[in-house]
Amino acid sequence: MDLDVGNALAAVAEPGVPRDALERLDDRVAAAHERIERGVANGEFGYASLNLPETADTAAVETAADRIGDVDHVILVGIGGSALGAATLADALAGPDAAELHVLDNVDPAAVERTLDRIDLASAAVNVVSQSGTTAETLANFLVVRDAMADAGVDWTDRTVVTTGDAGNLRDLADAHDLPSVSVPDGVPGRFSVLSTVGLLPAALLGVDTDGLLAGASAAREKLGPSLFDSPAYAYGALAYALDVRGASMDVMMPYAEGLETFAEWFAQLWAESLGKDGLGQTPVRALGATDQHSQLQLYRAGPHDKLVTFVGVDDRPDVPIPSADLEGLDYLSGASLGGLLDAELDATEASLAAAGVPNLRVQLDAVDAESVGELLFSMEAACVLAGELYGVETFDQPAVEWGKEAARGLLRGDRTLDEGDSLEVE
Ligand SMILES: O=P(O)(O)OC[C@H]1O[C@](O)(CO)[C@@H](O)[C@@H]1O
């Protein structure tokens, strides 16, 4: 993975980071790196995530996947970090012959019914994932899926594998029914768990090269060091932070690869839930190139300079030639390919933003393969940890989400009214 930060510097962009400021920031990166390495070495909560290339329990993943065997469908029941990692790996890396992944990470009844109606449950496995084992959406969806399997005459205990912590409802369920299960490693928050059993088990069920994923993550781990100039991950975290404090309060994650669209969604949770604290934080925006050149680029280029755009390009990919045709004004397409067109659009959009002084960063992958995706995911996790040190926030918890959870539970129990806010009906 390479990172080009040139278009984030003050010589190009406004807001931009002056080179001397980047040098000064590098001193803070060195101190942050020391703190991070201490946390990793001691297996401290959250920092332990950066140990996963070495500590991921691949044996447990293999055992659980073997007990499930070959299936045509994998139903992943989870939410947030318990679902987005697996969805990212599936979209990026599952081959054409892989089982189909169906993610139930919402409780929209129409969507859940539509999904279940499309699946032959007799050839489906269910991976129910929850670190806490108490997440309402996950447990509710699991009960619905279990009921649907029973209605289809399928013994759900034969087809269910559990990913959870050492205690809680799901651990009790796995123990009570002797279900295959894998443990969520201690000290790894959900949004940092894609390279743990949480993401690796669904990936294994889909035939993804999990060893390659971890090898790529290890390569990224090796590049972490005391200077941002030698570490793409730290450079990304430092530049995103430095641009935010200079006014780029949003980070538009815009991969130019369809298989990385869900990665942008995974990144959004990582960045928002880790850094959005104490009135601080940079808002992640999900986008996809080249598609969103035709929907949001107008704002990115000619709107307020309040955002960083992160491009993710890919060197090698399968390509499709564009058939020649005698079309007025489209001579430039003759002899071209879809991949060549996509690359030209990325380069042109990057230059277009630079010409307008909009700060942008360019992440470049060798390919959308296991090693490169593992390196990308680990790098973004390390970038986030580094940014959290620079912001001075508690990167690894998410206290602000509890208020809404408690209120929803109270409403369902009938012992809670909501007096906050106001309402003005417009009909
Ligand atoms: O894995 P669990 O405990 O079900 O949590 C799911 C998600 O919900 C959150 O705790 C936020 O509510 C996320 O941090 C987490 O990824």
Side-chain angles (χ1 to χ4, degrees):
M1 182 186 105
D2 294 319
L3 176 70
D4 187 337
V5 305
N7 287 344
L9 301 179
V12 173
E14 171 42 48
V17 185
R19 277 186 179 272
D20 59 344
L22 204 53
E23 297 290 344
R24 289 195 303 277
L25 188 58
D26 203 31
D27 296 340
R28 293 184 60 197
V29 168
H33 172 64
E34 229 177 86
R35 181 350 177 186
I36 292 167
E37 285 303 314
R38 210 166 47 248
V40 171
N42 298 333
E44 288 179 47
F45 179 74
Y47 296 100
S49 312
L50 298 184
N51 256 333
L52 282 170
E54 284 71 48
T55 60
D57 192 348
T58 51
V61 167
E62 196 174 334
T63 303
D66 289 348
R67 271 191 65 179
I68 289 295
D70 287 339
V71 290
D72 296 331
H73 302 274
V74 175
I75 304 170
L76 189 123
V77 182
I79 198 166
S82 289
L84 283 170
T88 296
L89 297 178
D91 284 4
L93 302 171
D97 304 326
E100 187 177 357
L101 181 73
H102 308 269
V103 177
L104 293 182
D105 65 348
N106 202 351
V107 284
D108 177 314
V112 172
E113 274 203 332
R114 189 169 53 243
T115 298
L116 293 180
D117 287 350
R118 287 178 44 227
I119 298 172
D120 171 8
L121 292 172
S123 68
V126 181
N127 182 200
V128 53
V129 187
S130 175
Q131 284 199 343
S132 61
T134 61
T135 302
E137 297 91 339
T138 300
L139 295 177
N141 275 333
F142 174 65
L143 295 174
V144 168
V145 170
R146 186 171 73 167
D147 209 41
M149 294 183 102
D151 289 350
V154 177
D155 180 352
W156 64 275
T157 62
D158 269 349
R159 296 294 182 150
T160 300
V161 55
V162 173
T163 306
T164 191
D166 293 336
N169 301 313
L170 285 185
R171 177 53 62 198
D172 297 344
L173 182 90
D175 294 347
H177 297 278
D178 186 27
L179 302 177
S181 70
V182 291
S183 293
V184 178
D186 289 336
V188 177
R191 57 191 175 275
F192 287 89
S193 67
V194 60
L195 296 169
S196 78
T197 50
V198 174
L200 295 178
L201 175 52
L205 291 171
L206 299 177
V208 167
D209 173 10
T210 52
D211 291 339
L213 263 178
L214 294 174
S218 287
R221 175 83 180 86
E222 291 310 308
K223 290 182 186 174
L224 300 186
S227 172
L228 67 89
F229 294 104
D230 305 322
S231 166
Y234 282 171
Y236 186 84
L239 263 296
Y241 162 80
L243 287 165
D244 179 19
V245 299
R246 287 172 172 79
S249 60
M250 283 170 269
D251 183 348
V252 180
M253 181 55 74
M254 192 168 185
Y256 272 66
E258 199 83 16
L260 294 178
E261 182 171 17
T262 308
F263 156 75
E265 207 176 333
W266 171 88
F267 174 84
Q269 181 195 9
L270 177 75
W271 217 246
E273 205 168 55
S274 300
L275 306 177
K277 292 164 189 162
D278 313 332
L280 299 168
Q282 187 176 45
T283 302
V285 175
R286 297 169 247 176
L288 179 69
T291 308
D292 288 325
Q293 291 169 210
H294 301 269
S295 71
Q296 298 155 44
L297 180 60
Q298 169 65 34
L299 171 70
Y300 300 164
R301 189 171 199 271
H305 283 210
D306 56 1
K307 56 190 81 67
L308 148 71
V309 177
T310 299
F311 295 112
V312 183
V314 176
D315 287 340
D316 302 321
R317 62 161 79 77
D319 209 344
V320 173
I322 299 171
S324 57
D326 185 13
L327 296 174
E328 182 68 26
L330 288 180
D331 53 306
Y332 62 87
L333 288 181
S334 93
S337 69
L338 295 181
L341 177 57
L342 188 60
D343 290 342
E345 304 234 48
L346 166 51
D347 293 345
T349 303
E350 179 188 35
S352 156
L353 293 185
V358 175
N360 60 91
L361 294 168
R362 172 86 172 247
V363 174
Q364 195 69 18
L365 305 181
D366 294 341
V368 182
D369 60 17
E371 288 79 2
S372 296
V373 170
E375 188 173 9
L376 174 66
L377 293 169
F378 185 93
S379 297
M380 286 303 161
E381 289 181 5
C384 189
V385 176
L386 187 276
E389 299 299 325
L390 297 177
Y391 279 110
V393 295
E394 170 37 64
T395 305
F396 304 115
D397 65 4
Q398 54 285 332
V401 305
E402 294 314 316
W403 196 101
K405 288 182 182 178
E406 279 302 318
R409 287 194 275 263
L411 289 174
L412 287 169
R413 284 195 198 98
D415 61 13
R416 172 76 188 261
T417 56
L418 298 175
D419 309 322
E420 292 74 14
D422 196 346
S423 89
L424 168 62
E425 297 292 318
V426 177
E427 292 179 24

